[in-house]
Amino acid sequence: MNRITLTRPDDWHLHLRDGDILRSIVGFTAARFGRAVIMPNLKPPVTTTSLAVEYRKRVVAALPAGCSFEPLMTLYLTDNTPAAEVDRAVASGVVCGIKYYPAGATTNADCGVTTLERTFAVLERMEELGLVLQVHGEVTDDGVDVFDRERVFIERHLSRIVARYPALRVVLEHVTTREGVQFVDSQPGTVAATITPQHLLLNRNALFVGGIRPHHYCLPVLKREGDRLALLEAATSGSQKYFLGTDSAPHARGDKESACGCAGVFSAPAAIELYAEAFDQAGALDRLQAFASHHGADFYRLARNSGSISLVRDPWRPAASYPFGDRDIVPFFAAEAIGWRLDNPGNP
Ligand code: DOR
Ligand code: ZN
């Protein structure tokens, strides 16, 4: 098989930032995907529906001319989010979910949730109105090893959320562990997960090949080979619980190549191509369309996209860096060969 055509895919987890940076990067995603779920961890975070509506306008204004691309907005959950915000979010028609960051878990998560109980009124209203909860599933406890933080979050928090709100639809974002996959598999259809390209393609050894590799650092951090294989099996299994979410999270080169480098892998310039690479390695290219273009839309109860994109087996290399506002950024697989190339971008 040297060419594959897919229903135009969607990215169910994406960071676009704002301002000049947003304008530098949004075209990469819009060329490949019909829609994307836009994360709310701006500074300050997108905590209200009115902030999300304004942010959405800035995303649309930043799109290359003639582009059809739909940003699906999210709100940033805090200890103080009122339940009435859920009503406003649903009424807006542009908010697809609310993002739960444990306070301090990752980039711009300082305003996140400190105490699960404080979110109960919001979760209850989300369950009633059918709004999706998107979870960054890691505890922040210093006493918990960084490689165990997803498993412990599931044990301490996520299992309580899904037991208490059985009709709430929950996405365990960027699942990274075998235990995470086992948990999602054990739950009813209300519980799903996104999987990133870096967690499908790399294990934690990649962080230390010949020296420390800041461009492979993201949160949740890369895990063991056994975890990677469990993710690959889940993504290629055909299970409707798993769908594409890149977690492309851009940071300027200088903020990554630093004594205290930021977490985030910038995969947007080659996102669908990287998934094709992973599925190809697993001998499962025939399962890529369902993972990339069907399962997420079905879970979010949105129509599948009508257009298509094609990929051809024709190795290419992402640039060593791309412009990023007035700085530059190093993409995932910078100057490294990827076997699949986008043939007919869905947008200019
Ligand atoms: O690596 C990450 N980067 N993980 C996250 O959860 C947030 C993201 C970011 O916003 O940079
Ligand atoms: Zn993210």
Side-chain angles (χ1 to χ4, degrees), residues 100-106 109 113-114 116 135-161 172 174 176-177 219-221 223:
Y100 182 127
Y101 286 108
T106 186
V113 174
T114 66
L116 173 59
V135 177
H136 183 111
E138 289 192 288
V139 292
T140 55
D141 191 335
D142 275 353
V144 178
D145 189 279
V146 70
F147 292 99
D148 295 332
R149 288 184 185 176
E150 181 172 285
R151 177 178 58 74
V152 175
F153 184 90
I154 291 168
E155 286 164 10
R156 288 189 193 163
H157 303 290
L158 190 55
S159 51
R160 281 182 71 200
I161 293 172
L172 176 57
H174 40 58
T176 62
T177 57
L219 287 171
V221 72
K223 300 295 193 303

Side-chain angles (χ1 to χ4, degrees), residues 130-202:
L131 196 60
V132 170
L133 180 71
Q134 297 134 342
V135 177
H136 183 111
E138 289 192 288
V139 292
T140 55
D141 191 335
D142 275 353
V144 178
D145 189 279
V146 70
F147 292 99
D148 295 332
R149 288 184 185 176
E150 181 172 285
R151 177 178 58 74
V152 175
F153 184 90
I154 291 168
E155 286 164 10
R156 288 189 193 163
H157 303 290
L158 190 55
S159 51
R160 281 182 71 200
I161 293 172
V162 300
R164 190 175 169 102
Y165 304 103
L168 179 65
R169 278 175 297 146
V170 181
V171 182
L172 176 57
E173 299 293 344
H174 40 58
V175 60
T176 62
T177 57
R178 182 176 291 280
E179 290 90 346
V181 167
Q182 284 167 348
F183 175 79
V184 171
D185 282 342
S186 73
Q187 296 299 309
T190 46
V191 179
T194 52
I195 306 181
T196 78
Q198 65 268 24
H199 293 103
L200 288 176
L201 287 163
L202 303 179

Side-chain angles (χ1 to χ4, degrees), residues 7-325:
T7 301
R8 204 168 172 216
D10 299 304
D11 184 348
W12 299 97
H13 184 130
L14 177 68
H15 298 268
L16 283 181
R17 317 301 190 207
D18 211 342
D20 290 351
I21 288 171
L22 163 63
R23 282 188 287 278
S24 307
I25 60 168
V26 66
F28 291 119
T29 295
R32 292 166 173 77
F33 297 99
R35 296 168 288 202
V37 172
I38 312 302
M39 288 295 131
N41 61 334
L42 302 184
K43 279 188 234 174
V46 181
T47 49
T48 66
T49 304
S50 55
L51 286 170
V53 167
E54 290 306 310
Y55 183 29
R56 183 179 189 281
K57 287 182 193 157
R58 299 195 297 279
V59 172
V60 171
L63 288 169
C67 231
S68 78
F69 170 77
E70 193 184 345
L72 305 169
M73 308 311 291
T74 59
L75 303 188
Y76 184 117
L77 185 62
T78 74
D79 286 352
N80 302 313
T81 305
E85 198 59 53
V86 179
D87 294 66
R88 287 189 281 274
V90 171
S92 76
V94 302
V95 174
C96 72
I98 300 188
K99 179 71 187 276
Y100 182 127
Y101 286 108
T106 186
T107 309
N108 300 339
D110 302 352
C111 309
V113 174
T114 66
T115 317
L116 173 59
E117 288 75 9
R118 296 194 60 170
T119 69
F120 280 171
V122 172
L123 301 187
E124 188 178 327
R125 194 66 183 140
M126 290 175 74
E127 182 183 39
E128 283 165 7
L129 295 186
L131 196 60
V132 170
L133 180 71
Q134 297 134 342
V135 177
H136 183 111
E138 289 192 288
V139 292
T140 55
D141 191 335
D142 275 353
V144 178
D145 189 279
V146 70
F147 292 99
D148 295 332
R149 288 184 185 176
E150 181 172 285
R151 177 178 58 74
V152 175
F153 184 90
I154 291 168
E155 286 164 10
R156 288 189 193 163
H157 303 290
L158 190 55
S159 51
R160 281 182 71 200
I161 293 172
V162 300
R164 190 175 169 102
Y165 304 103
L168 179 65
R169 278 175 297 146
V170 181
V171 182
L172 176 57
E173 299 293 344
H174 40 58
V175 60
T176 62
T177 57
R178 182 176 291 280
E179 290 90 346
V181 167
Q182 284 167 348
F183 175 79
V184 171
D185 282 342
S186 73
Q187 296 299 309
T190 46
V191 179
T194 52
I195 306 181
T196 78
Q198 65 268 24
H199 293 103
L200 288 176
L201 287 163
L202 303 179
N203 65 37
R204 65 191 193 178
N205 289 350
L207 289 164
F208 307 108
V209 176
I212 195 149
R213 298 291 187 140
H215 298 291
H216 288 160
Y217 173 55
C218 64
L219 287 171
V221 72
L222 297 171
K223 300 295 193 303
R224 293 173 178 276
E225 178 63 3
D227 296 303
R228 187 186 76 85
L229 292 173
L231 299 176
L232 201 53
E233 198 180 322
T236 60
S237 67
S239 165
Q240 298 181 338
K241 288 173 163 288
Y242 299 98
F243 38 88
L244 185 158
T246 61
D247 196 18
S248 177
H251 293 276
R253 174 203 292 274
D255 295 338
K256 298 279 296 174
E257 298 174 5
S258 149
C260 186
C262 295
V265 167
F266 179 51
S267 58
I272 189 66
E273 299 91 323
L274 290 160
Y275 284 103
E277 186 79 24
F279 275 63
D280 198 5
Q281 285 174 17
L285 276 172
D286 58 325
R287 297 278 170 90
L288 179 60
Q289 173 171 259
F291 174 81
S293 316
H294 297 167
H295 295 165
D298 297 351
F299 183 84
Y300 275 87
R301 300 183 184 153
L302 295 169
R304 296 176 183 177
N305 291 323
S306 50
S308 63
I309 62 164
S310 295
L311 297 166
V312 287
R313 197 188 290 279
D314 179 17
W316 68 291
R317 291 166 196 266
S321 69
Y322 291 98
F324 190 62

